[in-house]
Amino acid sequence: MPLPSVTRSPFGTLPDGTPVSRWTLDSGTGVRAEVLDRGGVLHRLDVPAPDGSRASVVLGHDTLDGYRADTAYLGALIGRYANRIAHGRFDLDGRTHRVPATDRGHALHGGPDGFHRRRWHATALPRRDSAALRLDLHSPDGDMGFPGALHVTARYTLDRHGTLRLDWTARTDRPTPVNLTQHAYFNLAGPDGAGLLDHRLAVDADAYLPVDPAAIPLGAPAPTAGTPFDLGAPRPLGERLAHPHPQLRRAGGYDHCFVLTAPPAPGALRRAARLHDPASRRRMEVWTTEPGLQVYTGNALTGNPHPRHGGLCLETQHFPDSPNRPDYPDTVLRPGAPRRSTTEFRFPHLADPR
């Protein structure tokens, strides 16, 4: 059986002449991930189906120019602050800070030149039991309006069981809000398969954050019970998206943060979501140390090249607008106390192909 491996190949050149590389992580057992060092993009994630056929289960672009023109954050690493900050402002230790407000008057995903547009420094970490890629990024003081110099490490690891793991570490020299996530759009049928409407989704959460028309949380979490946000049991996404609930109509689908059930111990992984495509029989589980899961059903995908509801984001993260919400889990990172976070994408059908 082949050993896990990491290989590098060219993926185009940026306008300033900087080369971009594609790093291929091969488990040696059938699962393969391709990561770009521009944006830390998960470009492909090839996963066998129970019948042996293999396809990428994440949406992507064929060329670097496609990613440069992309406005949907396909597959990218997001920072400094994933999700939204109301009105692009927050107070921290007695000072008001302003960051770019580019989404209906609010800050989104770290700003127009967020981490999704940066070239990360990549280092291959091949091992006998896994293939890993370390990505490092330095964000200077004042970057996109955020205080403090921030160093972020994102490590993708693909093991022989086919689990893709993402480990984050962030350090700062001044207090600053930090919320990091991975923005892959999943479609277990493959990029040329049907949309998500037949996929079955379950989320391990009893509460979610209702939002206003600009997707800013209204306040305290609301119970999911008795609403289409109760995803405790797997149900077809098409059935859910057709529900007339005003929160779904307001967002055009799901674009909401779910409050995950408590972990068994502080810092421990807990299951956040399960996704199943009956046609391909692929199954995926998301496990994380994060307190929230932003479920986004690709409501703004326009068909160039991916159709509306063509992919599902399961973004493990802290809550949106936390810098302005003292009742939410704290997102402020302070010097001398590194922030660490882990998310795993597991594929149970690889061990049990029934």
Side-chain angles (χ1 to χ4, degrees), residues 73-95:
Y73 307 92
L74 259 66
L77 299 181
I78 304 298
R80 283 189 192 190
Y81 201 93
N83 218 312
R84 294 165 176 86
I85 298 176
H87 308 293
R89 67 175 299 279
F90 59 90
D91 295 331
L92 178 58
D93 296 343
R95 292 188 58 187

Side-chain angles (χ1 to χ4, degrees), residues 95-181:
R95 292 188 58 187
T96 297
H97 299 271
R98 298 189 180 277
V99 296
T102 57
D103 180 54
R104 293 167 286 182
H106 306 291
L108 175 65
H109 290 337
D113 190 28
F115 293 177
H116 62 292
R117 295 195 177 277
R118 308 294 175 85
R119 188 177 182 278
W120 296 62
H121 177 74
T123 306
L125 303 171
R127 301 167 181 162
R128 290 190 61 82
D129 60 348
S130 64
L133 180 71
R134 171 175 168 156
L135 297 169
D136 288 278
L137 183 69
H138 177 74
S139 175
D141 181 26
D143 190 6
M144 290 284 99
F146 289 93
L150 184 74
H151 185 86
V152 176
T153 297
R155 187 174 73 246
Y156 286 101
T157 303
L158 182 62
D159 69 19
R160 296 182 69 82
H161 301 289
T163 294
L164 182 65
R165 178 181 174 116
L166 178 58
D167 291 289
W168 294 97
T169 303
R171 294 179 171 85
T172 185
D173 62 356
R174 286 178 58 196
T176 189
V178 175
N179 191 24
L180 306 168
T181 197

Side-chain angles (χ1 to χ4, degrees), residues 81-341:
Y81 201 93
N83 218 312
R84 294 165 176 86
I85 298 176
H87 308 293
R89 67 175 299 279
F90 59 90
D91 295 331
L92 178 58
D93 296 343
R95 292 188 58 187
T96 297
H97 299 271
R98 298 189 180 277
V99 296
T102 57
D103 180 54
R104 293 167 286 182
H106 306 291
L108 175 65
H109 290 337
D113 190 28
F115 293 177
H116 62 292
R117 295 195 177 277
R118 308 294 175 85
R119 188 177 182 278
W120 296 62
H121 177 74
T123 306
L125 303 171
R127 301 167 181 162
R128 290 190 61 82
D129 60 348
S130 64
L133 180 71
R134 171 175 168 156
L135 297 169
D136 288 278
L137 183 69
H138 177 74
S139 175
D141 181 26
D143 190 6
M144 290 284 99
F146 289 93
L150 184 74
H151 185 86
V152 176
T153 297
R155 187 174 73 246
Y156 286 101
T157 303
L158 182 62
D159 69 19
R160 296 182 69 82
H161 301 289
T163 294
L164 182 65
R165 178 181 174 116
L166 178 58
D167 291 289
W168 294 97
T169 303
R171 294 179 171 85
T172 185
D173 62 356
R174 286 178 58 196
T176 189
V178 175
N179 191 24
L180 306 168
T181 197
Q182 215 294 334
H183 207 289
Y185 287 75
F186 290 97
N187 187 329
L188 299 186
D192 298 322
L196 291 177
L197 300 187
D198 291 332
H199 280 52
R200 271 64 168 170
L201 174 67
V203 176
D204 292 82
D206 297 322
Y208 78 105
L209 298 179
V211 296
D212 70 13
I216 299 297
L218 292 171
T224 61
T227 77
F229 293 86
D230 184 354
L231 299 174
R235 300 287 293 274
L237 269 171
E239 174 186 311
R240 299 288 185 164
L241 292 176
H243 196 284
H245 192 283
Q247 281 287 311
L248 289 177
R249 301 283 69 77
R250 174 173 288 173
Y254 291 105
D255 190 7
H256 296 79
C257 186
F258 285 74
V259 180
L260 298 175
T261 54
L269 286 166
R270 50 34 208 300
R271 190 181 65 187
R274 291 168 286 157
L275 188 64
H276 174 222
D277 172 38
S280 69
R281 295 165 53 208
R282 290 186 180 92
R283 290 182 287 143
M284 184 177 78
E285 293 182 352
V286 182
W287 291 67
T288 189
T289 59
E290 289 289 321
L293 179 75
Q294 186 80 11
V295 175
Y296 176 55
T297 46
N299 312 324
L301 292 176
T302 61
N304 185 22
H306 304 295
R308 186 168 184 256
H309 302 320
L312 174 69
C313 297
L314 298 169
E315 306 164 50
T316 57
Q317 57 185 255
H318 275 56
F319 300 171
D321 201 29
S322 289
N324 296 309
R325 309 282 181 136
D327 52 323
Y328 290 179
D330 189 14
T331 57
V332 175
L333 178 65
R334 297 185 180 275
R339 172 80 52 79
R340 293 185 172 87
S341 173

Side-chain angles (χ1 to χ4, degrees), residues 1-4 26-29 128 160:
M1 184 177 294
L3 292 176
D26 195 323
S27 68
T29 56
R128 290 190 61 82
R160 296 182 69 82

